[in-house]
Amino acid sequence: MSWQEAEVRELKVGRYMLVDDSPCKIMEITTSKPGKHGEAKSRIVAIGIFDNQKHSVVFPVKHKVKIPIIEKKNAQVLAVANREAQLMDSETFETFQVPLSDDELEKIKPGTEVPYWEAMGKRKIMLQN
């Protein structure tokens, strides 16, 4: 799996981190002051890229977390069937299946080119709203 390590204090809103081995976009970071016997802690609220689940974690600011390496690529839609799209990567010509949501099902048509993200062995079509 492809990821890097970074300290919690280096994270910023809008960047990505792994929560329970799931790539998530950081939506909010709040940091407390250090206590009398402890160090400062950060509460991070993040939303999963692939599952859209809200995750909330608390770590000391010196704690190391994993940052996923997200590859942004383009692919051509070969076919759409059974709530899945068959895509062919524009550079490697590899074909693969990607599940579609209801919203994506209406917008994606065979023969069009779509951007997709690949992270931690998973792929997702990323359409502009």
Side-chain angles (χ1 to χ4, degrees), residues 2-6 18 65-69:
S2 54
W3 49 268
Q4 300 173 330
E5 280 194 348
L18 289 179
V65 293
K66 296 176 183 175
I67 309 297
I69 297 173

Side-chain angles (χ1 to χ4, degrees), residues 69-116:
I69 297 173
I70 299 172
E71 296 181 42
K72 299 175 183 179
K73 301 177 180 180
N74 289 318
Q76 181 180 1
V77 180
L78 299 177
V80 177
N82 300 331
R83 301 184 59 79
E84 283 190 334
Q86 183 178 19
L87 303 178
M88 179 177 65
D89 187 281
S90 299
E91 293 177 17
T92 63
F93 304 110
E94 171 193 6
T95 59
F96 53 91
Q97 306 282 98
V98 175
L100 298 175
S101 67
D102 292 330
D103 186 39
E104 293 171 336
L105 200 54
E106 297 171 4
K107 295 180 180 177
I108 294 176
K109 303 291 180 226
T112 59
E113 185 138 329
V114 293
Y116 76 95

Side-chain angles (χ1 to χ4, degrees), residues 4-20:
Q4 300 173 330
E5 280 194 348
E7 287 188 0
V8 171
R9 64 177 152 200
E10 298 169 358
L11 299 177
K12 292 182 173 54
V13 173
R15 300 271 175 91
Y16 299 90
M17 70 178 286
L18 289 179
V19 178
D20 299 328

